[in-house]
Amino acid sequence: MIIREHYIKPIREFYDSDLIKIITGIRRSGKSVILQQILQEIRERTDNIIFINFEDRRMSTNIPNGNALIDHVEKNRKEGKCYLFFDEVQVLEGWQDACKTLRLYDYSLFITGSNSKLLSGEFTKELSGRYVSFRVRPFVYKEILEYASELGKKDVSVTDYLVWGGFPKRFEFDSPDAQRRYLEDLDDTIILNDLIHRHKIMKPNLFKSLVNFALRSNGRIVSAKSVHEYVKKEHEKCSVNTVMKYLDYLEEAYIIETVKRYSTRTKRELSYYRKIYDADVALNSLRCMDNRFDLTHNLENVVYNELIYMGYKVWVYDNAGKEIDFLAQRGNKKYFVQVAYSVAEDKAYTREFDAFRGIDNLSQKILITNDDIDYSTSAVRHMKLRDFLLMDSLDDR
């Protein structure tokens, strides 16, 4: 597996800190591999290390709760600073109190989990100032190319990325059928095991309908009302509160993210407006029939994921009633980014370029498409999708 220095580098300076290092992200995004890579770095200078994978039933049987975890650590540690690695710790009853106790002594504690509740509620309130968190995501395109090279495979096409995304393990399989089977099993695990079972959802068919609608709605405006109207067509007994709760479950598991709109009229975020993006576009493609994949919205979703990876904070931007897909900001620099699959046709060209009308030239205006022709103008910089995917910054040339 490639060394994901993008994620390890910011964690490295905290290796010896008593702050709890919390590594989060959607299931199978590579958290456990990164945890192992950190462990290997630390092993070069000490063997006072304890690693526990709480998805291993042997461990969960022998360590059933937080008190048992503390006992296990105390019995197996050596003298001096001990480094603790707890993978998917949130499945352990009482893990919060155990972690809070262990950090008080001579331990450096690393934990992973695929649920954002690791970073919410009383746990982080009580640990205010005593933890640092890091979010891991599926591969972006640069990482895919690096991993394909490591596996001795030819380059993965941009189209393949737009359809099947960047869950790391899929690239270990050679055939498209095997890759799809892996992704389908992963999808079942995330939805059925992680969410329906964890939250004891009593109406699984209702929940699955909502999940399917949400994951097919990437790059689109969503609201509790719109989702509710869709779901109640098949399930009459469904409240808006239930819809809101189920959407929260998806965000807690890092399956979706919602982005706020920034309004030019009010100069602020509009909290009632949300656009939805999938953690990985494969979650959309698995729900498409007859290979009619939603490349247009997946492309926008991919650009969102790449911008977040580059370190930009993003909003949807309301330009006096015309939507610009992203206002991206890093430091003091702002970029207005519009995304389209193609602007080869006159109607699409006019629509996408008109979205920038009225914006001054103090910020860059960028159009990203899958076209091979350069459509740049004196005011708008056109980026070909593949070129954008290989960039580290919107300032790259």
Side-chain angles (χ1 to χ4, degrees), residues 110-144:
F110 301 78
I111 65 177
T112 75
S114 51
N115 189 312
S116 66
K117 285 190 174 179
L118 285 169
L119 301 177
S120 63
E122 294 301 317
F123 179 56
T124 50
K125 284 182 181 178
E126 294 179 22
L127 282 177
S128 177
R130 299 180 180 87
Y131 74 94
V132 285
S133 65
F134 306 90
R135 170 80 176 273
V136 175
R137 299 169 182 271
F139 281 164
V140 293
Y141 191 61
K142 292 184 289 292
E143 293 179 304
I144 290 173

Side-chain angles (χ1 to χ4, degrees), residues 191-201 204 207-208:
I191 304 304
L192 298 177
N193 294 353
D194 286 4
L195 296 182
I196 292 178
H197 294 164
R198 178 192 301 156
H199 296 291
K200 298 180 174 60
I201 292 173
F207 181 72
K208 290 176 187 177

Side-chain angles (χ1 to χ4, degrees), residues 201-242:
I201 292 173
M202 303 302 294
K203 298 179 179 180
N205 290 332
L206 168 63
F207 181 72
K208 290 176 187 177
S209 292
L210 180 141
V211 169
N212 290 337
F213 178 78
L215 293 175
R216 288 197 305 262
S217 298
N218 58 335
R220 298 170 177 85
I221 302 166
V222 296
S223 67
K225 181 180 179 181
S226 65
V227 180
H228 175 254
E229 288 177 349
Y230 169 82
V231 172
K232 75 178 183 180
K233 292 177 183 177
E234 299 180 16
H235 306 273
E236 293 182 5
K237 296 181 179 180
C238 170
S239 69
V240 173
N241 286 338
T242 297

